[in-house]
């Protein structure tokens, strides 16, 4: 008990602090999980410094302690009761801002400083109950909360390309003290450098990043040429990327087919072993910047079309029993036919932040993957462009009749997503081609793709 004695000329007044003093000691140790945090030689590895937050049953922070490399344990005196102990490892002051004791809660985010990159973040949490006069030891097992993009390499890049980057998204935005993630959509962009005297571009350094916030992450390779036009090639991973895995991506560019990438997630020294491989071609490419609208190749907009070796379907037909042929246009020499396909099913109720285009993009991409996953050989699905929306408007009556003949329904009076420009997703009403100034859960999704038939 702490007492303070105040003396006046007339009487003595004794003020007391009734806050009970700590009556239990908690000793905290940390360890790496079995195989979880193994280093390159297999040895256990823990990131430092380690910040330990102790929360009482009401969620109030009772203590904040720090362990540096070389510290085997720390001790703190507490009142009897139950506590939630959270540890954060690797969030050093050069890259992160951690909350002070006064404002910390288990769900408080660990803020990455502007311009900083993620480090080897690890967390642990556990609940411990202390009794009066007891001495308790708690061992926290740390779990890595980031994945490591270890190496990215693109070969056979055209000599006219002046910059190459690779983006992985959507990723969780921030990590919290208790090891959970906050909502939000983020991404990591890696700038590649040309290997002198070759057509190979490589990442200079490995990069830690939080794991994807969606089941399937999207990897996009962007190449910018001398004319300022950026060609982007996107691939949706068939297998989920996860924290505590190392990721290596290698690819080879081919002029006609686009980019063929193979990717491997290596976890032999981190979390077992898991491998993925995928083809990365121009079926998901789009063009931005420079003179992106000029007539280049593959349909006049600079985009290389995925090629199908099959008889081209006629406009107004139903391809593979489920895709509407919006347009079917033979080339001048008749050697190939450029066909625009449209899904006959609509999707609504997408959840996103209408003020955040990254959030809209993630929701739209996820919905398109559900509608047309490419397993039937038709890939490159995307939102219709403004020009395609105008075409749909001009042929609405015919499309409605065609859909009806297939026992399907087309709803031009509904608001639909469309690709306003290379960066922006908007809404349009097909019945009058009016652009809608807002997006909502009522906005419908129809996907399109443009392919080349060579027969």
């Amino acid at each position: 008990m702490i007492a303070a004695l105040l003396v006046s000329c007339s009487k003595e007044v004794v003020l007391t602090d009734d806050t009970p003093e700590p009556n239990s000691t908690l000793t905290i140790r940390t360890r790496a999980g079995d195989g979880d945090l193994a280093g390159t030689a297999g040895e256990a590895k823990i990131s430092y410094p380690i910040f330990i937050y102790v929360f009482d049953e009401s969620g109030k922070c009772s203590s904040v302690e720090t362990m540096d490399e070389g510290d085997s344990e720390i001790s703190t005196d507490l009142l009897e009761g139950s506590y939630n102990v959270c540890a954060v490892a690797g969030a050093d002051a050069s890259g992160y801002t951690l909350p002070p004791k006064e404002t910390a809660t288990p769900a408080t985010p660990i803020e990455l400083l502007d311009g900083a990159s993620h480090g080897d973040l690890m967390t642990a949490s556990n609940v411990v109950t202390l009794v009066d006069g007891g001495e308790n030891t708690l061992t926290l097992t740390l779990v890595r909360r980031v994945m490591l993009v270890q190496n990215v390499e693109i070969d056979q890049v055209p000599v006219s390309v002046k910059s190459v980057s690779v983006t992985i998204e959507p990723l969780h935005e921030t990590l919290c003290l208790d090891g959970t993630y906050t909502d939000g959509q983020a991404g990591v962009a890696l700038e590649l450098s040309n290997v002198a005297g070759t057509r190979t571009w490589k990442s200079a350094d490995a990069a830690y990043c939080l794991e994807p916030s969606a089941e399937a992450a999207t990897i996009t390779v962007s190449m910018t040429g001398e004319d300022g036009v950026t060609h982007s090639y996107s691939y949706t991973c068939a297998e989920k990327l996860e924290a505590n895995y190392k990721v290596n991506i290698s690819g080879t560019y081919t002029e006609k087919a686009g980019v063929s990438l193979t990717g491997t997630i290596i976890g032999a020294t981190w979390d077992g072993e898991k491998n993925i491989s995928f083809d990365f071609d121009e079926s998901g490419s789009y063009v931005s910047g420079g003179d992106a609208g000029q007539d280049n190749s593959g349909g006049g907009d600079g985009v290389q079309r995925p090629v199908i070796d099959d008889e081209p379907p006629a406009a107004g037909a139903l391809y593979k029993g489920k895709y509407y042929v919006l347009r079917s246009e033979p080339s001048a020499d008749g050697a190939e036919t450029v066909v625009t396909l449209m899904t006959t099913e609509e999707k609504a109720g997408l959840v996103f932040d209408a003020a955040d285009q990254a959030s809209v993009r993630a929701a739209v991409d996820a919905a398109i993957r559900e509608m047309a996953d490419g397993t039937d050989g038709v890939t490159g699905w995307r939102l219709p462009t403004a020009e395609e929306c105008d075409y749909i408007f001009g042929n609405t009556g015919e499309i409605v009749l065609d859909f009806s003949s297939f026992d399907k329904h087309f709803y031009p009076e509904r608001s639909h997503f469309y690709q306003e420009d290379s960066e922006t997703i908007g809404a349009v009403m097909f019945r009058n081609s009016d652009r809608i100034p807002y997006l909502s859960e009522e906005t419908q999704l129809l996907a399109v793709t443009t392919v080349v038939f060579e027969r």
Side-chain angles (χ1 to χ4, degrees), residues 30-240:
T30 58
R31 65 184 293 272
D34 296 335
D36 288 345
L37 309 178
T40 54
E43 75 281 3
K45 178 184 182 298
I46 293 178
S47 296
Y48 290 94
I50 303 173
F51 298 92
I52 297 174
Y53 288 77
V54 182
F55 300 96
D56 64 20
E57 292 178 275
S58 70
K60 180 180 178 181
C61 187
S62 302
S63 174
V64 179
E65 308 292 341
T66 305
M67 293 179 66
D68 294 312
E69 191 166 5
D71 294 338
S72 60
E73 62 184 35
I74 58 101
S75 295
T76 183
D77 294 327
L78 300 164
L79 289 169
E80 61 180 312
S82 292
Y83 294 88
N84 181 16
V85 183
C86 300
V88 176
D92 61 86
S94 65
Y96 299 89
T97 298
L98 276 78
K101 173 183 173 182
E102 292 74 22
T103 61
T105 70
T108 299
I110 303 162
E111 299 290 349
L112 186 65
L113 297 176
D114 289 342
S117 300
H118 278 298
D120 196 5
L121 287 178
M122 306 170 187
T123 66
S125 65
N126 210 334
V127 175
V128 62
T129 300
L130 309 182
V131 297
D132 187 1
E135 293 190 2
N136 304 268
T137 299
L138 174 65
T139 300
L140 294 173
T141 301
L142 291 164
V143 176
R144 181 175 276 114
R145 297 298 182 184
V146 291
M147 59 184 187
L148 180 64
V149 182
Q150 191 168 240
N151 180 66
V152 179
E153 180 175 322
I154 307 296
D155 294 320
Q156 297 303 312
V157 176
V159 294
S160 59
V161 169
K162 297 305 175 185
S163 67
V164 179
S165 65
V166 171
T167 303
I168 304 174
E169 59 185 356
L171 306 178
H172 286 293
E173 192 166 23
T174 52
L175 180 68
C176 300
L177 295 179
D178 60 2
T180 60
Y181 300 101
T182 63
D183 293 333
Q185 308 292 335
V188 60
L190 304 174
E191 296 294 333
L192 309 189
S193 299
N194 178 243
V195 179
T198 72
R199 293 172 60 186
T200 297
W201 291 68
K202 299 179 66 174
S203 55
D205 301 300
Y208 291 101
C209 57
L210 300 184
E211 67 179 26
S213 57
E215 283 294 316
T218 297
I219 299 175
T220 300
V221 179
S222 298
M223 300 181 182
T224 303
E226 295 174 333
D227 55 3
V229 174
T230 298
H231 292 256
S232 298
Y233 312 87
S234 296
Y235 171 78
T236 299
C237 297
E239 189 171 352
K240 183 178 181 182

Side-chain angles (χ1 to χ4, degrees), residues 158 227 229 231 233 253-258 282 285-287 291-307 331 336 338 450-452:
D227 55 3
V229 174
H231 292 256
Y233 312 87
Y253 180 86
T254 55
E255 293 291 342
K256 183 175 181 180
E282 299 212 12
S285 68
Y286 57 91
V287 181
D291 297 321
Q294 68 184 9
D295 185 9
N296 293 323
S297 62
D301 58 3
V303 178
Q304 297 291 329
R305 312 299 188 192
V307 177
S331 61
E336 59 186 28
V338 178
T450 306
V451 298
V452 174

Side-chain angles (χ1 to χ4, degrees), residues 379-445:
T379 59
W381 293 97
R382 55 178 171 77
L383 291 178
T385 64
E387 187 274 334
E388 287 166 335
C389 289
D390 290 339
Y391 181 87
I392 293 171
F393 162 65
N395 295 271
T396 295
E398 183 178 343
I399 296 172
V400 169
L401 290 175
D402 288 339
F403 270 56
S404 178
S405 69
F406 305 137
D407 198 24
K408 295 180 181 295
H409 299 283
F410 178 66
Y411 302 98
E413 71 279 1
R414 295 177 179 176
S415 170
H416 287 79
F417 292 99
Y418 82 104
Q419 191 68 46
E420 186 172 328
D421 53 44
S422 62
E423 303 294 333
T424 308
I425 293 174
V428 63
M429 198 81 74
F430 288 143
R431 70 179 180 189
N432 51 19
S433 199
D434 282 351
R435 276 41 171 178
I436 311 300
Y438 59 86
L439 297 167
S440 73
E441 291 187 4
E442 300 301 319
T443 306
Q444 306 280 315
L445 174 64

Side-chain angles (χ1 to χ4, degrees), residues 263-347:
T264 304
I265 298 180
I266 301 176
T269 58
W270 275 27
D271 200 17
E273 186 170 352
K274 184 197 258 183
N275 298 306
I276 60 170
S277 62
F278 50 85
D279 292 327
F280 201 141
D281 59 30
E282 299 212 12
S283 60
S285 68
Y286 57 91
V287 181
S288 63
D291 297 321
Q294 68 184 9
D295 185 9
N296 293 323
S297 62
D301 58 3
V303 178
Q304 297 291 329
R305 312 299 188 192
V307 177
I308 295 178
D309 183 16
D310 197 359
E311 293 294 335
L318 200 62
Y319 184 63
K320 289 188 175 290
K322 57 181 176 179
Y323 303 133
Y324 179 68
V325 182
L326 190 62
R327 285 194 261 192
S328 184
E329 301 169 339
S331 61
D333 59 5
E336 59 186 28
T337 303
V338 178
V339 175
T340 302
L341 302 174
M342 184 170 69
T343 57
T344 54
E345 302 297 329
E346 297 186 5
K347 193 173 185 63

